[in-house]
Amino acid sequence: MTSPYSLAQDAAATLRELTGIEQHDVALVLGSGWLPAVDALGEATAEIATTDLPGFQAAAVAGHSGKIRSIRSGEKNLLVFLSRTHYYEARDVAAVAHPVRAAAAAGCRAIVLTNGCGGLDPSWSPGTPVLISDHINLTGASPLVGANFVDLTDLYSHRLRGLARELDPSLDEGVYVQFPGPHYETPAEVRMAGIMGGSLVGMSTTLEAIAAREAGLEILGISLVTNLAAGVSDQPLNHEEVLEAGRLAAGRMGDLLARIVPSI
């Protein structure tokens, strides 16, 4: 059986062949609602289907595109994943971590992990970006293999969060709580997340962040609050609301990424 690390090396080698880019510098994973922001990042030098690379799965969630785009931004080559594999799709942690490991194998030294999420702070209206300062992983899983003890202190880079706040002083920070999904959280679960110190709830990101730290990548996490979490408002939750919030916030998100990423 091929190890996840060897599979990542194979994916990176195929990526170099298909894009003609020997080394990428910064990776981005675009979460639900973020897709419309990608065009602000720069000129695409190549775009390939995720399924053209070893180990990748096709996109399975509306609002995600099963593509990987190579973008030139100033002096940097960006590797942008227009979709992600969610843990709830098959409870396959290796598949969730594979894009992150492939990015590291392709030469990336930093990664921007984005997501669409529910917010516990009533002042965060839909379309509000929030920097992830820390996370709570409630999936009961880890992407690490064997007795591999990885330090998660300052997992979400203090340096990169400071850089982001210099560029946009209005940015708040919060602790992201990942639930397994795919069902939305109950109001009681949201209250539990708040008691534990969480302020953002969703179904992605934490497992990718752990894999990124293991691979030595510097991590910036940004959540797009697409709705108030269950129980914080009396409105029902649906995925269409998530995508609509992303469309409405696309200009701000694109501008935010376009300013932050070249400085990483």
Side-chain angles (χ1 to χ4, degrees):
M1 181 177 177
T2 304
S3 79
Y5 308 102
S6 296
L7 193 59
Q9 292 290 342
D10 293 343
T14 304
L15 181 71
R16 293 186 184 97
E17 294 174 8
L18 295 179
T19 64
I21 305 297
E22 184 61 29
Q23 178 174 320
H24 286 84
D25 303 298
V26 180
L28 297 93
V29 178
L30 297 188
S32 295
W34 284 82
L35 194 56
V38 67
D39 291 332
L41 289 171
E43 179 183 357
T45 54
E47 184 170 284
I48 60 176
T50 54
T51 50
D52 287 343
L53 300 182
F56 280 85
Q57 301 179 5
V61 179
H64 290 250
S65 169
K67 301 286 186 180
I68 300 171
R69 188 177 295 182
S70 181
I71 292 176
R72 186 69 176 176
S73 177
E75 297 299 314
K76 293 184 173 67
N77 291 308
L78 311 182
L79 185 62
V80 185
F81 297 93
L82 305 185
S83 65
R84 61 161 35 103
T85 297
H86 293 81
Y87 179 60
Y88 57 71
E89 291 174 33
R91 299 294 190 262
D92 186 345
V93 186
V96 172
H98 183 58
V100 171
R101 289 174 171 144
C108 292
R109 54 180 176 74
I111 190 165
V112 180
L113 299 173
T114 73
N115 59 60
C117 72
L120 275 67
D121 188 333
S123 71
W124 292 339
S125 59
T128 300
V130 180
L131 299 174
I132 301 175
S133 59
D134 205 344
H135 80 223
I136 299 171
N137 173 16
L138 295 183
T139 67
S142 171
L144 304 183
V145 179
N148 186 5
F149 305 110
V150 175
D151 178 21
L152 301 184
T153 305
D154 193 29
L155 178 62
Y156 299 92
S157 168
H158 185 271
R159 183 186 78 86
L160 294 183
R161 284 185 282 129
L163 173 63
R165 286 194 303 273
E166 286 179 11
L167 296 171
D168 186 346
S170 70
L171 286 170
D172 277 339
E173 292 192 351
V175 175
Y176 181 88
V177 183
Q178 181 177 351
F179 285 83
H183 52 275
Y184 288 110
E185 305 79 21
T186 67
E189 289 170 337
V190 170
R191 289 194 300 273
M192 176 190 73
I195 292 169
M196 295 170 67
S199 47
L200 306 159
V201 293
M203 308 174 195
S204 68
T205 304
T206 72
L207 299 174
E208 294 159 322
I210 295 168
R213 167 52 61 87
E214 178 196 26
L217 299 179
E218 192 173 16
I219 304 158
L220 177 65
I222 311 175
S223 288
L224 174 64
V225 175
T226 55
N227 53 269
L228 292 177
V232 179
S233 78
D234 58 1
Q235 298 300 309
L237 305 180
N238 63 77
H239 192 60
E240 288 71 25
E241 180 185 42
V242 171
L243 300 182
E244 178 61 17
R247 283 189 289 268
L248 294 175
R252 183 180 182 187
M253 296 304 97
D255 177 67
L256 179 63
L257 291 177
R259 287 192 294 152
I260 289 175
V261 172
S263 302
I264 292 177

